[in-house]
């Protein structure tokens, strides 16, 4: 994992990516020991609980503070990826994330679009029209309630020390803005699944997994990314032989 690290910004600790990448063989035994110790204790280092919002925009040109990237420690992200693949994804019931096409090994925006068009095409064989309701949850990642998320995590078969690590990872977090060599004061983060983290998107999968349809005639397709919504809207707003109606 260390040798596969791509070019990325360092977190608060300031250790650049190339140190881990080019010294992977030498650092692997030491970092493996440290990560195992951290997971066994169920408590991440305090520096991993800090994130810097940098002047690298997610959207060009940025028009709001939310368009700037949040950067966490590189080693924190590596540890989070280990937790995701070893504990979190295997614990998620597959039937609960079948309708989620983002942030999982078998998901992609292409598969989400194919599934959407497939369902619409099948329904048009027996109906003269199909009603499509597009819901875009504003700030979905930022409004995650930690207490509700912790309750859902406790229902999964995750080792107690790993569960404690995740809870501690989301608790007592702080965030600051860094620009032109200057850093603002640190402010607490009391909700969200932490932008720029490796585990954040998968915690959102846990949070949204129990959002299911109560009707057998309704199909729900989830994609935790606004890009899918824009592409799908562009496709579905084009009438299919005059028989497709979309309600926005």
């Amino acid at each position: 994992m260390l040798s596969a690290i791509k070019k990325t910004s360092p977190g608060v600790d300031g250790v650049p990516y190339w140190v881990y990448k080019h010294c992977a063989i030498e650092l692997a035994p030491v970092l493996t020991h440290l990560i195992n110790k951290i997971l066994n204790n169920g408590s991440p280092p305090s520096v991993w609980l800090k994130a810097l919002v940098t002047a690298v925009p997610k959207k060009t040109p940025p028009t709001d503070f939310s368009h700037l990237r949040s950067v966490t420690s590189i080693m924190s992200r590596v540890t989070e990826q280990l937790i995701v693949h070893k504990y979190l994804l295997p614990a998620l019931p597959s039937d609960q994330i079948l309708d989620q096409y983002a942030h999982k090994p078998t998901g992609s925006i292409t598969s989400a679009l194919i599934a959407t068009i497939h369902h619409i095409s099948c329904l048009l064989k027996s109906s003269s029209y199909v009603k499509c309701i597009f819901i875009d949850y504003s700030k979905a990642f930022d409004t995650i309630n930690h207490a509700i998320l912790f309750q859902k995590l406790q229902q999964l078969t995750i080792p107690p020390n790993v569960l404690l690590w995740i809870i501690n990872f989301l608790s007592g977090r702080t965030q600051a803005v860094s620009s032109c060599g200057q850093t603002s004061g640190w402010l607490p983060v009391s909700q969200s699944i932490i932008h720029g983290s490796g585990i954040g998107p998968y915690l959102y999968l846990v949070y949204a997994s129990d959002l299911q349809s109560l009707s057998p005639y309704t199909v729900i397709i989830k994609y935790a990314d606004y890009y899918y919504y824009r592409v799908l809207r562009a496709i579905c707003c084009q009438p299919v032989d005059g028989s497709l109606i979309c309600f926005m």
Side-chain angles (χ1 to χ4, degrees):
M1 289 186 69
L2 293 177
S3 60
I5 290 177
K6 297 180 180 179
K7 185 177 181 180
T8 182
S9 300
V12 180
D13 55 23
V15 181
Y17 81 97
W18 56 263
V19 171
Y20 300 112
K21 185 177 183 67
H22 299 307
C23 302
I25 295 177
E26 293 80 8
L27 291 176
V30 177
L31 294 178
T32 299
H33 174 75
L34 290 175
I35 290 173
N36 283 326
K37 191 175 182 64
I38 288 169
L39 287 180
N40 289 333
N41 292 336
S43 180
S46 58
V47 70
W48 291 6
L49 303 183
K50 295 183 177 182
L52 284 175
V53 178
T54 66
V56 180
K58 293 184 290 185
K59 178 180 178 181
T60 304
T63 56
D64 187 80
F65 277 116
S66 63
H67 297 158
L68 301 179
R69 294 187 183 277
S70 176
V71 181
T72 58
S73 168
I74 293 176
M75 275 315 302
S76 175
R77 280 176 268 168
V78 170
T79 305
E80 294 163 48
Q81 290 171 13
L82 287 169
I83 292 175
V84 165
H85 295 292
K86 186 173 178 62
Y87 300 108
L88 198 55
L89 283 180
L92 268 174
S94 58
D95 60 330
Q96 289 190 15
I97 57 174
L98 284 175
D99 55 5
Q100 174 59 259
Y101 290 86
H103 307 303
K104 66 178 187 178
T106 57
S108 67
I109 189 171
T110 302
S111 57
L113 291 170
I114 290 173
T116 302
I117 296 173
H118 170 73
H119 286 302
I120 292 174
S121 301
C122 290
L123 289 169
L124 286 175
K125 293 179 181 179
S126 58
S127 305
S128 58
Y129 65 90
V130 176
K131 293 181 180 179
C132 298
I133 302 176
F134 297 87
I135 303 175
D136 175 32
Y137 291 99
S138 179
K139 307 296 181 184
F141 283 6
D142 296 335
T143 54
I144 296 297
N145 183 292
H146 287 173
I148 296 176
L149 176 61
F150 295 159
Q151 291 177 359
K152 295 182 178 183
L153 285 170
Q154 289 173 353
Q155 297 173 4
L156 302 177
T157 54
I158 300 176
N161 61 306
V162 176
L163 177 61
L164 179 61
W165 191 95
I166 296 174
I167 292 175
N168 287 330
F169 176 77
L170 294 177
S171 304
R173 296 197 65 91
T174 54
Q175 183 171 277
V177 176
S178 177
S179 179
C180 300
Q182 301 294 319
T183 302
S184 71
W186 294 89
L187 294 176
V189 180
S190 58
Q191 58 184 23
S192 89
I193 43 78
I194 315 305
H195 285 273
S197 66
I199 199 173
Y202 301 93
L203 292 177
Y204 181 81
L205 291 190
V206 175
Y207 196 83
S209 62
D210 58 353
L211 176 61
Q212 303 292 332
S213 171
L214 296 178
S215 170
Y217 302 103
T218 302
V219 177
I220 295 181
I221 293 180
K222 307 172 193 170
Y223 195 88
D225 195 308
Y226 180 66
Y227 179 70
Y228 167 70
Y229 171 79
R230 289 185 296 168
V231 173
L232 189 59
R233 177 176 176 176
I235 292 175
C236 291
C237 280
Q238 303 301 321
V240 180
D241 296 330
S243 58
L244 177 60
I245 298 177
C246 296
F247 293 88
M248 308 303 291

